[in-house]
Amino acid sequence: MNTVYHQNGYKVSLGKQGADRYTKISYPQRYGRYSEVETKEAIYQFNGNAEIIFARGKGETWPNPQEWLKRSVGNDWIYYSTGGYTGVFEAIGEFYLPNLQYPTNALMGGNPFASDPVRRIINEWHDNIVKVRGGLAGAPPQVKDFLGKAVANNPAILAEKARRLFQISGGRVTVLPPDSRHADYNVIPLTAAEGCLYKCRFCKVKTARPFQEVSKAEIERRLDELVELYGEDLNNYNSLFLGEHDALCSSRELLLYSVTRAYERLGFGTSYMRGSNVFLFGSVDSFLNAEEQLFDELRRLPCEFYMNIGLESADQETLDKLGKPISAAAVEEAFKRMQSINAAYMNIEVSANFLMDASLPDSHYPATLRLIRDSIPRRKPKGTIYLSPLKFGAPSRELVLAFNRFKLQSRLPTFLYIIQRL
Ligand code: SF4
């Protein structure tokens, strides 16, 4: 039930209902059930566990009333900017550009974290909630109870909860699939298999551990802990990240087991958010080796599946230079299979990553265009191609322009991949 309480210039709203379906719209949208505290200077929003998740300043000093801060479950503050609206949607497929505080491969965006009002929100939100609690001495019990919990979830506790999440997952999720943008990166991570097959030289997100499946007992243990950790906020989730870097390389049995058990245990069928998504990574080998029966069985599950395959390049010289131990012929084969899976299965979308950088051999771009333009007879709405800038911490207008030229020629939806962790 929605409760609204005003006192001393403060407003507390409990049980607010945001959108129940992820959509792409050009104004700020809140998802799921949340509570809100409004002061003269700022608006703060909290999830079902009374943990802060959104904030924005009010008044003229805030960079833009359409922009806001989001705190991820991994305890990162992310600033969503409009980017002046010009070209953001065309570039990333979303109306808002996530600005991250850690090194990543983003080509666009400024430095909103240098802005005083943004820094003040991040540094002072908790002190301000303590003040609100002090100013609402006469509030009804449910408001006091909520504020007590919001104050208890101080920055140290939130950092500790994030550490616990990393522990449950066997380590921090260093990279989320690009398609998880469809759920605003609000995914619950469950690692079915650790590590990856290739250990490519160019890759900045790989883990040292060798590829290894997790046991079913370990999946159950992790789900128990995830249910406990997400607690009262679990109902706001409908999306799974099945980790780690190559979940598609797990056995068919383990993959299906992990997805079905996660769907049941995490309550996706009864989530406030409608629909259900599973995001995972795959490699060229795991994708080519995946039995058709796997896709047939996934078809029957009540989820949308997004599999992201790291193709990187269809040019042998580029693959060798990148230290990616696969052949251009296998990349081509995987691309072909991607087209047939995307055509055959309504609830499965296979997307692919290609790299971009000025330092790559001249043969890289023509080889990629041979696949995404020449081999596709007409434009298709499915089977997204992500171009992933190779360098971290190197925003570049030239590369954005190069991307735009590339995108115009592609016959598949084509976007930039901003590497985001959880
Ligand atoms: S690109 Fe993928 S397969 Fe290669 S090292 Fe990175 S995570 Fe592993």
Side-chain angles (χ1 to χ4, degrees):
M1 202 182 69
N2 194 358
T3 301
V4 181
Y5 182 74
H6 298 259
Q7 196 187 349
N8 294 331
Y10 300 134
K11 179 179 168 191
V12 176
S13 311
L14 305 183
K16 290 193 83 161
Q17 303 207 341
D20 61 3
R21 191 177 276 284
Y22 290 106
T23 44
K24 307 204 187 288
I25 40 174
S26 60
Y27 56 87
Q29 175 74 279
R30 296 291 168 264
Y31 297 107
R33 288 203 189 92
Y34 61 96
S35 299
E36 186 175 276
V37 174
E38 185 169 355
T39 69
K40 285 192 192 74
E41 295 81 26
I43 295 175
Y44 307 96
Q45 291 170 347
F46 297 80
N47 67 15
N49 296 325
E51 296 154 353
I52 191 162
I53 43 166
F54 284 98
R56 76 167 171 86
K58 290 162 70 180
E60 286 178 5
T61 55
W62 186 251
N64 182 327
Q66 302 287 311
E67 300 181 347
W68 69 93
L69 280 161
K70 172 182 174 180
R71 193 188 63 86
S72 73
V73 70
N75 205 31
D76 285 319
W77 282 102
I78 301 162
Y79 186 88
Y80 280 71
S81 69
T82 63
Y85 289 120
T86 44
V88 169
F89 188 82
E90 288 73 15
I92 63 168
E94 302 296 315
F95 284 99
Y96 290 91
L97 183 69
N99 292 263
L100 308 168
Q101 279 188 291
Y102 47 88
T104 184
N105 61 349
L107 295 180
M108 308 163 77
N111 186 10
F113 298 101
S115 144
D116 279 344
V118 173
R119 276 212 308 264
R120 267 204 302 280
I121 291 263
I122 295 175
N123 296 331
E124 297 171 14
W125 71 266
H126 187 256
D127 292 346
N128 292 335
I129 298 301
V130 171
K131 272 188 216 145
V132 172
R133 185 176 64 166
L136 294 185
Q142 67 268 38
V143 172
K144 283 189 177 169
D145 180 53
F146 159 72
L147 288 170
K149 287 182 186 160
V151 166
N153 280 320
N154 61 38
I157 293 289
L158 294 176
E160 183 48 40
K161 287 187 179 180
R163 268 197 295 277
R164 212 179 130 205
L165 176 69
F166 306 152
Q167 217 173 20
I168 296 170
S169 314
R172 180 164 210 163
V173 172
T174 55
V175 57
L176 286 169
D179 300 300
S180 48
R181 67 191 173 88
H182 298 313
D184 198 20
Y185 300 94
N186 294 329
V187 294
I188 298 183
L190 175 68
T191 300
E194 295 169 342
C196 67
L197 295 179
Y198 304 142
K199 310 292 177 210
C200 316
R201 202 167 48 235
F202 79 91
C203 177
K204 295 188 181 67
V205 295
K206 61 180 172 269
T207 45
R209 52 193 173 202
F211 179 85
Q212 194 176 14
E213 279 191 358
V214 163
S215 68
K216 284 185 184 171
E218 181 62 14
I219 295 282
E220 292 296 336
R221 195 191 64 76
R222 289 180 183 192
L223 285 170
D224 284 343
E225 294 199 23
L226 288 168
V227 168
E228 198 192 322
L229 184 72
Y230 281 77
E232 297 293 308
D233 199 40
L234 197 54
N235 193 247
N236 277 329
Y237 284 85
N238 69 349
S239 301
L240 180 76
F241 166 50
L242 191 68
E244 193 178 24
H245 298 306
D246 196 353
L248 194 55
C249 198
S250 329
S251 67
R252 181 166 53 87
E253 193 197 348
L254 183 71
L255 202 156
L256 290 165
Y257 181 86
S258 306
V259 171
T260 11
R261 291 297 291 148
Y263 183 88
E264 288 162 9
R265 298 291 316 281
L266 303 174
F268 287 169
T270 53
S271 166
Y272 176 81
M273 297 302 295
R274 287 195 277 158
S276 180
N277 307 299
V278 177
F279 302 99
L280 65 154
F281 286 116
S283 61
V284 165
D285 281 278
S286 65
F287 183 51
L288 287 176
N289 292 334
E291 301 149 87
E292 202 65 30
Q293 196 182 342
L294 170 71
F295 301 100
D296 268 335
E297 292 186 70
L298 294 180
R299 186 216 300 264
R300 294 195 204 109
L301 298 181
C303 306
E304 303 287 325
F305 289 89
Y306 295 91
M307 301 179 180
N308 180 253
I309 315 293
L311 299 183
E312 325 307 1
S313 179
D315 171 54
Q316 194 61 55
E317 186 189 344
T318 307
L319 290 167
D320 295 344
K321 183 171 176 182
L322 292 167
K324 181 132 194 143
I326 54 173
S327 71
V331 168
E332 206 157 313
E333 197 58 26
F335 185 82
K336 268 194 214 140
R337 188 168 200 210
M338 178 182 157
Q339 304 316 311
S340 73
I341 299 286
N342 282 336
Y345 300 92
M346 287 276 288
N347 66 332
I348 302 175
E349 175 164 359
V350 185
S351 63
N353 297 336
F354 288 93
L355 285 166
M356 69 182 299
D357 191 69
S359 68
L360 295 179
D362 289 345
S363 42
H364 168 59
Y365 294 100
T368 310
L369 280 174
R370 269 201 302 280
L371 295 187
I372 69 172
R373 182 190 59 194
D374 306 343
S375 78
I376 309 275
R378 58 183 181 285
R379 286 188 182 271
K380 290 184 186 174
K382 196 176 166 193
T384 302
I385 300 298
Y386 291 98
L387 288 188
S388 183
L390 185 59
K391 291 199 181 79
F392 274 40
S396 159
R397 206 177 125 69
E398 287 70 40
L399 267 191
V400 174
L401 293 173
F403 161 77
N404 286 336
R405 284 194 295 275
F406 204 72
K407 179 185 169 91
L408 278 175
Q409 300 182 68
S410 170
R411 293 199 169 130
L412 294 167
T414 299
F415 298 108
L416 283 172
Y417 180 9
I418 302 174
I419 290 183
Q420 204 169 135
R421 70 187 183 189
L422 195 61

